């Protein structure tokens, strides 16, 4: 199932994308993430908390600076992308998540976009 949401962020698109593209920053912007560590190439090790349980695994995380787009995914089929576009005096942030086993994905995406917006607008 594909879930896509967008939100305006009062932040420079290049600066916003640079902050989001840094793997170590993911826990700051994604409420469920507790740790992201860079491995080799585009591979990362991810730790997250869902429904009171800690989960760990490997994933890919690819950043395309020219298009300001991030893509990620796991072998289990969880994947997504995030894009940052110019939008007036700020940015339009779009987040897409593809999953087969997250029943609250729309709420998670809305919470993530809101967290990113609040942190970015606070100058983090």
């Amino acid at each position: 199932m594909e879930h896509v949401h967008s939100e305006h962020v009062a932040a420079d698109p290049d600066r916003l994308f640079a902050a989001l593209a840094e793997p170590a920053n993911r826990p700051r912007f994604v409420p469920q993430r507790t740790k992201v560590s860079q491995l080799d190439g585009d591979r990362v090790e991810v730790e997250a908390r869902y429904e009171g349980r800690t989960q760990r695994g490997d994933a890919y995380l690819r950043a395309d600076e020219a298009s300001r787009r991030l893509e990620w995914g796991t072998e289990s089929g969880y994947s997504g992308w995030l894009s940052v576009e110019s939008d007036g005096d700020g940015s339009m942030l779009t987040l897409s998540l593809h999953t087969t086993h997250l029943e609250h994905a729309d709420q998670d995406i809305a919470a993530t976009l809101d967290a990113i917006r609040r942190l970015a607008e606070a100058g983090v």
Side-chain angles (χ1 to χ4, degrees):
M1 188 169 204
E2 193 81 19
H3 306 269
V4 180
H5 294 266
S6 296
E7 186 163 337
H8 177 84
V9 179
D12 176 77
D14 290 326
R15 291 184 60 215
L16 178 59
F17 180 78
L20 293 169
E22 176 59 43
N25 284 341
R26 301 291 286 183
R28 295 172 69 196
F29 292 111
V30 182
Q32 301 84 355
R33 298 287 179 269
T34 55
K35 183 179 180 182
V36 177
S37 302
Q38 186 74 47
L39 300 174
D40 293 329
D42 64 0
R43 303 300 299 175
V44 292
E45 182 178 56
V46 178
E47 182 179 283
R49 289 222 19 105
Y50 290 101
E51 299 175 354
R53 295 179 299 151
T54 298
Q55 299 176 3
R56 292 175 185 83
D58 288 358
Y60 67 85
L61 177 62
R62 299 180 185 128
D64 181 345
E65 287 185 44
S67 64
R68 290 192 214 106
R69 183 178 169 105
L70 294 175
E71 295 180 1
W72 62 86
T74 66
E75 291 180 12
S76 68
Y78 172 83
S79 64
W81 57 264
L82 180 146
S83 69
V84 178
E85 298 177 15
S86 295
D87 185 39
D89 62 349
S91 304
M92 181 58 65
L93 180 61
T94 301
L95 177 59
S96 172
L97 184 64
H98 175 81
T99 185
T100 57
H101 48 282
L102 263 185
E103 61 188 59
H104 303 293
D106 286 320
Q107 293 169 341
D108 289 347
I109 291 171
T112 297
L113 287 174
D114 190 53
I116 292 170
R117 181 190 55 75
R118 283 184 286 113
L119 286 167
E121 290 177 354
V124 172

